[in-house]
């Protein structure tokens, strides 16, 4: 099928799209931002953008990374992409789509840490598991200044920790400006490391740290697509910029 015919199929099936969506799908600028409300068709636009990159521009699926806010959203996007590609180019064209990464930013950070930086034997604590872990081990972290009762101290410590990690605050500044917190923070980071544990926040911060020192690691990624970009924090933004490098977002 000729490129023009493929483009026409992508833009018209399974239903026509707006001129703004068309511009985003066919964009050849380095950075493209899509601003739209809920239900306006952002996921459909992203889906067709990926189909266009693969079927028309000849971009290898292994060089495309797409971040979604949840795993459920990732599954929905994967399903749509497979359907669109099959509709336009037939079942055989879907064979290499499994090489593409579509999932959450945290899962990708863990994949990078596992594949390139030796974290394959580390386990991940989700939010609830981290609270439970701190309830068991927080007695040795010097949290007396974080509240009147133990559970309150854990909650206050976690909120402060979240802010520090999401903004990637400098350890030297923390040590100088908030020495008590830094003492507890350092002990907690050491405890996680001793037990080979990662949290959602430390997955991002460690990935950022390693990629800053090894900028060539993800040179194969040529296109990075981020859904719900407005919801990311500073650490995630740094991670995204390191992945994108000279590629397109």
């Amino acid at each position: 099928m000729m490129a023009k015919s493929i483009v026409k199929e992508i833009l018209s099936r399974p239903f026509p799209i707006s001129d703004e969506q068309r511009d985003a799908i066919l964009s050849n600028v380095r950075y493209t931002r899509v601003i739209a409300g809920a239900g306006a068709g952002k996921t459909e636009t992203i889906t067709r953008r990926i189909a266009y990159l693969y079927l028309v521009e000849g971009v290898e699926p292994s060089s495309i990374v797409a971040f979604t806010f949840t795993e459920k959203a990732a599954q929905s996007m994967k399903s749509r992409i497979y359907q669109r590609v099959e509709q336009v180019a037939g079942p055989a064209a879907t064979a290499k789509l499994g090489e593409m990464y579509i999932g959450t930013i945290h899962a990708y950070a863990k994949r990078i840490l596992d594949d390139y930086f030796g974290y394959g034997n580390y386990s991940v604590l989700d939010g609830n598991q981290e609270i439970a872990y701190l309830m068991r081990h927080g007695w040795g972290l010097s949290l007396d200044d974080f509240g009147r009762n133990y559970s309150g101290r854990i909650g206050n410590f976690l909120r402060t920790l979240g802010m520090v990690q999401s903004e990637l605050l400098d350890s030297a500044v923390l040590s100088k400006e908030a020495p008590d917190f830094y003492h507890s923070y350092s002990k907690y980071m050491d405890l996680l490391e001793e037990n080979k544990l990662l949290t959602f926040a430390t997955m991002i911060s460690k990935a950022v740290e390693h990629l800053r020192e090894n900028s060539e690691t993800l040179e194969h990624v040529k296109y990075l697509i981020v859904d719900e970009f407005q919801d990311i924090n500073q650490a995630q933004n740094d991670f995204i910029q390191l992945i994108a490098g000279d590629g397109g977002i």
Side-chain angles (χ1 to χ4, degrees):
M1 188 182 293
M2 297 295 291
K4 288 184 178 179
S5 299
I6 296 175
V7 171
K8 183 178 179 180
E9 286 284 305
I10 290 172
L11 297 178
S12 62
R13 294 182 65 183
F15 51 82
I17 54 175
S18 69
D19 290 342
E20 290 81 3
Q21 287 175 298
R22 178 186 182 279
D23 290 344
I25 291 166
L26 304 182
S27 174
N28 61 2
V29 301
R30 182 178 176 190
Y31 299 111
T32 301
R33 180 172 62 173
V34 177
I35 302 175
K42 294 189 296 297
T43 302
E44 185 65 31
T45 303
I46 291 171
T47 296
R48 298 196 200 194
R49 169 68 171 168
I50 291 174
Y52 169 78
L53 291 173
Y54 174 47
L55 295 176
V56 179
E57 297 294 334
V59 176
E60 287 294 321
S62 59
S63 69
I64 299 174
V65 171
F67 291 150
T68 58
F69 199 66
T70 65
E71 290 295 346
K72 182 178 179 181
Q75 291 303 317
S76 175
M77 186 179 292
K78 288 177 187 177
S79 178
R80 289 195 196 192
I81 291 169
Y82 273 80
Q83 289 173 4
R84 299 295 179 270
V85 169
E86 184 172 350
Q87 285 173 349
V88 174
T94 67
K96 297 181 68 177
L97 292 180
E99 299 173 11
M100 186 186 313
Y101 178 84
I102 300 174
T104 67
I105 191 170
H106 295 97
Y108 191 68
K110 183 60 165 67
R111 174 183 290 194
I112 297 307
L113 291 173
D114 290 354
D115 290 352
Y116 300 102
F117 302 115
Y119 287 79
N121 60 342
Y122 281 62
S123 300
V124 177
L125 300 175
D126 64 24
N128 291 329
Q129 289 170 330
E130 186 175 12
I131 292 172
Y133 185 78
L134 270 169
M135 291 296 289
R136 290 196 304 273
H137 300 282
W139 299 103
L141 298 181
S142 305
L143 301 180
D144 292 351
D145 293 335
F146 285 86
R148 295 182 179 179
N149 59 69
Y150 186 60
S151 61
R153 293 169 191 164
I154 295 298
N156 290 333
F157 176 70
L158 274 175
R159 282 187 287 274
T160 307
L161 181 68
M163 182 271 293
V164 167
Q165 293 179 322
S166 66
E167 297 301 318
L168 289 180
L169 297 185
D170 185 77
S171 293
V173 174
L174 281 177
S175 178
K176 180 180 178 180
E177 301 295 334
D180 291 339
F181 170 77
Y182 181 72
H183 175 69
S184 300
Y185 168 73
S186 298
K187 291 179 72 172
Y188 182 46
M189 291 300 102
D190 289 343
L191 183 64
L192 292 175
E193 185 64 28
E194 288 171 10
N195 291 280
K196 297 191 180 300
L197 294 171
L198 295 167
T199 67
F200 283 1
T202 58
M203 282 193 290
I204 301 295
S205 61
K206 286 181 180 294
V208 167
E209 178 184 347
H210 285 294
L211 290 175
R212 281 175 175 166
E213 297 174 355
N214 303 273
S215 58
E216 76 288 349
T217 302
L218 299 180
E219 287 181 344
H220 65 280
V221 177
K222 303 303 181 184
Y223 289 89
L224 175 61
I225 297 168
V226 184
D227 197 12
E228 307 293 354
F229 184 82
Q230 74 280 356
D231 292 328
I232 66 169
N233 58 40
Q234 185 60 51
Q236 293 166 349
N237 181 71
D238 286 9
F239 184 43
I240 286 167
Q241 295 299 327
L242 286 164
I243 297 167
D246 294 327
I249 300 180

